[in-house]
Amino acid sequence: MTPAYRRDHPTSPPEGNPKRSVITAAQERSWEVGVIATPQGLGFFDAPAVEAQTGRPIRSAWRAPGDPRPFPAPDAVAVAPATFNTVNKWAAGISDTLALGTLNEAYGLDVPIAVLPCVSDALASHPAYRGSVERLRGMGVRFGDRYSGEPGQDGLRAEFPWGAALDLLASRA
């Protein structure tokens, strides 16, 4: 795996604006970063700050036929955080957003993909979710530990492990 281009795919992040931390971590590894967000995910982070840091527009909508591709082809994709909805639609091959279409296409191009699920304990117990994770793993998708967002015994939520997706991609290069 050459450290040339990675995509970070925000869907619906936990609290705060930690996107810059995963982008910074990727850039510190000499990766170029482009961000694709679901339309709903755009409201969860500071888009102008992310665009300024990456030097690229955030993509969330399909481009028109004939429009130039704003990103080079990725050599790896990080999906963080991946919601219940994203995991299930992706495993079913649904491409109703640019983010899902990109993930489905990346599989067909044999691009390594790492996922950090952000799914509650209740939703993670749903048979559809368990089946989707199994299907995606069978497709070679690399899963990090699931983040439930539930408060710990101290009443605080753990920080989302943004850099873990990069570690998954680097460890299996």
Side-chain angles (χ1 to χ4, degrees), residues 21-39:
S21 65
V22 71
I23 292 168
T24 299
Q27 290 171 331
E28 287 171 351
R29 297 177 192 204
S30 298
W31 295 358
E32 292 182 38
V33 179
V35 175
I36 296 176
T38 62

Side-chain angles (χ1 to χ4, degrees), residues 33-58:
V33 179
V35 175
I36 296 176
T38 62
Q40 296 80 10
L42 287 172
F44 287 93
F45 61 96
D46 183 348
V50 169
E51 288 179 342
Q53 185 171 4
T54 64
R56 289 180 160 65
I58 294 171

Side-chain angles (χ1 to χ4, degrees), residues 1 6 29 31 76 112 114 142 163-173:
M1 182 168 70
R6 314 282 184 236
R29 297 177 192 204
W31 295 358
R142 305 160 189 181
L166 304 176
D167 295 338
L168 284 168
L169 291 168
S171 69
R172 299 185 191 175

Side-chain angles (χ1 to χ4, degrees), residues 75-143:
D75 62 1
V77 176
V79 185
T83 64
F84 177 83
N85 198 38
T86 294
V87 170
N88 288 323
K89 283 183 165 187
W90 177 19
I94 296 171
S95 293
D96 63 350
T97 65
L98 175 63
L100 286 165
T102 299
L103 293 174
N104 287 315
E105 185 177 70
Y107 168 75
L109 296 171
D110 201 30
V111 174
I113 304 170
V115 180
L116 298 181
C118 182
V119 176
S120 72
D121 294 340
L123 288 174
S125 70
H126 194 286
Y129 177 78
R130 291 192 314 266
S132 293
V133 170
E134 183 177 326
R135 172 178 267 179
L136 292 170
R137 280 190 172 132
M139 293 166 52
V141 174
R142 305 160 189 181
F143 273 80

